[in-house]
Amino acid sequence: MTRKQRRMTIIGGSLAVLALAAALVLNALRDSIVFFSTPSMVAEKHIEPGKRFRLGGLVQPGSLQRSDNLAVTFEVADGNAKLPVAYKGILPDLFREGQGVVAEGALDANGVFKADTVLAKHDETYMPKDLADALKKQGHWKDDYGPQASGAAKPAATTAQGNPQGAVR
């Protein structure tokens, strides 16, 4: 073998080892790559109690109950399924019923999600495309979720002379 052939063999072998390592890492992280699971996904996957994951959805109106010592219970829903959540701690300022939430924790033996972290989503504009599509199919989609059209600006009001209002001459 010439030096060039040996060099190419080493480079090719290195790339093969790197590709194999990347495939193994992605396979190991396959379930945790998702930012959060919805209650429907939790029901489909039959997640066993004690396994940590992120739960995301909308806080059901009328489900928020506060107890002593900062204990809170509420339901998270995605349109198809609901999952009860128990949390002990201070809730974010933007947390409220009907608002998006992402909670991190694990299911207990009774099927209640015991959260140790709760994050309130401040704006539904940034929801994942698949979740937006699911909400559209279920009829829970609001038109103001999507990005605003840049060409939809209102025309300026004009005076009787045809000059824009507030224009300085």
Side-chain angles (χ1 to χ4, degrees), residues 74-108:
F74 55 92
E75 286 185 343
V76 174
D78 63 353
N80 290 332
K82 297 178 187 177
L83 192 63
V85 177
Y87 175 69
K88 187 172 183 177
I90 299 173
L91 290 170
D93 290 338
L94 297 173
F95 181 89
R96 63 182 166 272
E97 294 177 346
Q99 185 72 19
V101 67
V102 175
E104 189 171 343
L107 288 172
D108 68 2

Coordinates of all heavy atoms in Angstrom, one line a residue, residues 74-108:
F74 N -53.6 19.8 39.6 CA -54.3 20.3 38.4 C -54.2 19.2 37.3 O -53.5 18.2 37.5 CB -53.7 21.6 37.8 CG -52.2 21.5 37.6 CD1 -51.7 21.2 36.3 CD2 -51.3 21.8 38.5 CE1 -50.4 21.1 36.0 CE2 -49.9 21.8 38.3 CZ -49.5 21.4 37.0
E75 N -55.0 19.3 36.3 CA -55.0 18.4 35.2 C -54.4 19.0 33.9 O -54.6 20.2 33.6 CB -56.4 17.9 34.8 CG -57.0 17.0 35.8 CD -58.4 16.5 35.4 OE1 -59.0 17.1 34.5 OE2 -58.8 15.4 36.0
V76 N -53.6 18.2 33.2 CA -53.0 18.6 32.0 C -53.7 17.8 30.9 O -53.8 16.6 31.0 CB -51.5 18.4 31.9 CG1 -50.9 18.7 30.6 CG2 -50.8 19.3 33.0
A77 N -54.1 18.5 29.8 CA -54.8 17.8 28.7 C -54.3 18.2 27.4 O -53.6 19.3 27.3 CB -56.3 18.1 28.8
D78 N -54.5 17.4 26.4 CA -54.1 17.7 25.0 C -55.2 17.6 24.1 O -55.0 17.6 22.9 CB -52.9 16.8 24.6 CG -53.3 15.4 24.5 OD1 -54.4 15.0 24.9 OD2 -52.5 14.6 24.0
G79 N -56.4 17.5 24.5 CA -57.6 17.4 23.7 C -58.2 16.0 23.7 O -59.4 15.8 23.6
N80 N -57.3 15.0 23.8 CA -57.8 13.6 23.8 C -57.7 13.0 25.1 O -58.6 12.2 25.5 CB -56.9 12.7 22.8 CG -57.1 13.1 21.4 OD1 -58.2 13.5 21.0 ND2 -56.1 12.9 20.6
A81 N -56.7 13.3 25.9 CA -56.5 12.6 27.2 C -56.1 13.7 28.2 O -55.7 14.8 27.9 CB -55.4 11.6 27.1
K82 N -56.4 13.3 29.5 CA -56.1 14.2 30.6 C -55.2 13.4 31.6 O -55.3 12.2 31.7 CB -57.3 14.6 31.4 CG -58.3 15.4 30.7 CD -59.5 15.7 31.5 CE -60.6 16.4 30.7 NZ -61.8 16.6 31.5
L83 N -54.3 14.1 32.3 CA -53.4 13.5 33.3 C -53.4 14.3 34.5 O -53.0 15.5 34.4 CB -52.0 13.2 32.7 CG -51.1 12.3 33.4 CD1 -51.6 10.9 33.5 CD2 -49.7 12.3 32.8
P84 N -53.7 13.8 35.7 CA -53.6 14.6 36.9 C -52.2 14.8 37.3 O -51.3 14.0 37.1 CB -54.3 13.8 37.9 CG -54.3 12.4 37.4 CD -54.2 12.5 35.9
V85 N -51.9 16.1 37.8 CA -50.5 16.4 38.1 C -50.5 17.0 39.6 O -51.4 17.7 39.9 CB -50.0 17.6 37.2 CG1 -48.6 18.0 37.6 CG2 -49.9 17.1 35.8
A86 N -49.6 16.5 40.4 CA -49.4 17.0 41.7 C -48.0 17.7 41.8 O -47.0 17.1 41.3 CB -49.5 15.9 42.7
Y87 N -48.0 18.9 42.4 CA -46.8 19.7 42.5 C -46.7 20.3 43.9 O -47.7 20.8 44.4 CB -46.7 20.7 41.4 CG -45.5 21.6 41.4 CD1 -44.2 21.1 41.2 CD2 -45.7 23.0 41.7 CE1 -43.1 22.0 41.2 CE2 -44.6 23.8 41.7 CZ -43.3 23.3 41.5 OH -42.3 24.2 41.5
K88 N -45.5 20.4 44.4 CA -45.4 21.1 45.7 C -44.3 22.1 45.5 O -43.1 21.8 45.3 CB -45.0 20.2 46.8 CG -45.0 20.8 48.2 CD -44.8 19.8 49.3 CE -44.9 20.6 50.6 NZ -44.8 19.7 51.7
G89 N -44.6 23.4 45.5 CA -43.7 24.5 45.3 C -44.3 25.7 44.8 O -45.6 25.8 44.7
I90 N -43.5 26.7 44.5 CA -44.1 27.9 44.0 C -44.3 27.8 42.5 O -43.3 27.5 41.7 CB -43.1 29.1 44.3 CG1 -43.0 29.2 45.8 CG2 -43.6 30.4 43.7 CD1 -41.9 30.2 46.3
L91 N -45.5 28.1 42.0 CA -45.7 28.1 40.6 C -45.2 29.3 39.9 O -45.1 30.4 40.5 CB -47.3 27.9 40.4 CG -47.9 26.6 40.8 CD1 -49.4 26.7 40.7 CD2 -47.4 25.5 39.8
P92 N -44.9 29.2 38.6 CA -44.4 30.4 37.9 C -45.5 31.4 37.8 O -46.7 31.1 37.9 CB -44.1 29.8 36.5 CG -44.1 28.4 36.6 CD -44.8 28.0 37.8
D93 N -45.1 32.7 37.6 CA -46.1 33.8 37.6 C -47.1 33.7 36.4 O -48.2 34.0 36.6 CB -45.4 35.1 37.4 CG -44.6 35.5 38.7 OD1 -45.0 35.0 39.8 OD2 -43.7 36.3 38.6
L94 N -46.7 33.1 35.3 CA -47.5 33.0 34.1 C -48.4 31.8 34.2 O -49.2 31.5 33.3 CB -46.7 33.0 32.9 CG -45.9 34.2 32.6 CD1 -44.9 34.0 31.4 CD2 -46.8 35.4 32.4
F95 N -48.3 30.9 35.2 CA -49.1 29.7 35.3 C -50.6 30.1 35.6 O -50.9 30.9 36.5 CB -48.6 28.8 36.4 CG -49.3 27.5 36.6 CD1 -48.9 26.4 35.9 CD2 -50.4 27.5 37.4 CE1 -49.6 25.2 36.0 CE2 -51.1 26.3 37.6 CZ -50.7 25.2 36.9
R96 N -51.5 29.5 34.8 CA -52.9 29.7 35.0 C -53.7 28.7 34.2 O -53.1 28.0 33.3 CB -53.4 31.1 34.7 CG -53.2 31.5 33.2 CD -53.6 33.0 33.0 NE -53.2 33.4 31.7 CZ -52.0 34.0 31.4 NH1 -51.2 34.2 32.4 NH2 -51.7 34.4 30.2
E97 N -54.9 28.6 34.5 CA -55.8 27.6 33.8 C -56.0 28.0 32.4 O -56.0 29.2 32.0 CB -57.1 27.5 34.5 CG -57.0 26.9 35.9 CD -58.4 26.9 36.6 OE1 -59.3 27.6 36.2 OE2 -58.5 26.2 37.7
G98 N -56.0 27.0 31.5 CA -56.1 27.3 30.1 C -54.8 27.6 29.4 O -54.8 27.8 28.2
Q99 N -53.7 27.7 30.1 CA -52.4 28.1 29.6 C -51.6 26.8 29.4 O -51.7 25.8 30.0 CB -51.7 29.0 30.6 CG -50.4 29.6 30.1 CD -50.6 30.6 29.0 OE1 -51.7 31.2 28.8 NE2 -49.6 30.9 28.2
G100 N -50.6 26.9 28.5 CA -49.7 25.8 28.2 C -48.7 25.6 29.4 O -48.3 26.6 30.0
V101 N -48.4 24.4 29.6 CA -47.5 24.1 30.7 C -46.6 22.9 30.3 O -47.0 22.0 29.6 CB -48.2 23.8 32.0 CG1 -49.0 22.5 31.9 CG2 -47.4 23.8 33.2
V102 N -45.4 22.9 30.8 CA -44.5 21.7 30.7 C -44.0 21.4 32.1 O -43.5 22.3 32.8 CB -43.3 22.0 29.8 CG1 -42.3 20.8 29.8 CG2 -43.7 22.3 28.4
A103 N -44.3 20.2 32.6 CA -43.9 19.7 33.9 C -42.9 18.6 33.8 O -43.0 17.7 32.9 CB -45.1 19.3 34.7
E104 N -41.9 18.5 34.7 CA -40.9 17.5 34.7 C -41.1 16.7 36.0 O -41.2 17.2 37.1 CB -39.5 18.1 34.6 CG -38.5 17.0 34.4 CD -37.1 17.6 34.1 OE1 -37.0 18.8 33.7 OE2 -36.1 16.9 34.2
G105 N -41.1 15.4 35.8 CA -41.3 14.5 37.0 C -41.5 13.1 36.6 O -41.0 12.6 35.5
A106 N -42.3 12.3 37.4 CA -42.6 10.9 37.1 C -44.0 10.5 37.5 O -44.5 11.2 38.4 CB -41.5 10.0 37.8
L107 N -44.5 9.5 36.9 CA -45.8 8.9 37.3 C -45.6 8.2 38.6 O -44.6 7.5 38.8 CB -46.3 8.0 36.3 CG -46.9 8.7 35.0 CD1 -47.2 7.6 34.0 CD2 -48.1 9.5 35.3
D108 N -46.6 8.2 39.5 CA -46.6 7.4 40.7 C -47.5 6.1 40.4 O -48.0 5.9 39.3 CB -47.1 8.1 41.9 CG -48.6 8.5 41.9 OD1 -49.3 8.2 40.9 OD2 -49.0 9.1 42.9

